[in-house]
């Protein structure tokens, strides 16, 4: 879904205030981060949530970087390091929430 939305040319954020697009990045990568950590925890059979969370953060950064690279080729879109930072913040918040509230 992230790459499908990224492929839309000349897309503008639905939030019409300064840095509204960054809020959208945080939100979408927060969801991605939660989905990733749950999938990793189940797949790896990791007994410690922190182990899966660290791997999930790495994957969130990799997907965010790939998304920004991909957007650099889409007309009317631009690649922005601050978007990647917002992606990383969203994924990191997800991991913090997951580690704080999940049972070992």
């Amino acid at each position: 879904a992230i790459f499908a939305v990224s492929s839309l040319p000349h897309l503008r954020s639905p939030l019409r205030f300064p840095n509204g697009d960054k809020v959208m990045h945080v939100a979408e990568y927060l969801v991605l981060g939660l989905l990733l950590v749950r999938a990793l925890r189940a797949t790896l059979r990791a007994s410690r949530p922190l182990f899966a969370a660290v791997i999930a953060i790495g994957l969130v950064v990799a997907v965010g970087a790939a998304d920004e690279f991909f957007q650099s080729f889409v007309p009317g879109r631009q690649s922005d390091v601050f978007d990647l930072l917002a992606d990383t913040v969203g994924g990191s918040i997800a991991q913090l929430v997951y580690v704080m509230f999940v049972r070992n």
Side-chain angles (χ1 to χ4, degrees), residues 9-81:
H10 306 287
L11 183 67
R12 300 290 174 237
S13 174
L15 303 177
R16 301 287 183 201
F17 55 86
N19 294 318
D21 67 316
K22 305 304 183 259
V23 174
M24 296 302 295
H25 277 268
V26 169
E28 70 182 331
Y29 279 82
L30 190 143
V31 172
L32 175 64
L34 287 173
L35 293 173
L36 274 173
V37 73
R38 291 191 69 225
L40 286 167
R41 184 104 189 268
T43 303
L44 299 176
R45 307 253 189 256
S47 62
R48 295 187 176 262
L50 187 59
F51 177 72
V54 169
I55 294 172
I57 289 173
L59 290 172
V60 163
V61 172
V63 170
D67 181 41
E68 291 306 315
F69 179 71
F70 174 69
Q71 282 185 24
S72 70
F73 298 102
V74 178
R77 302 295 296 269
Q78 63 186 23
S79 181
D80 184 8
V81 71

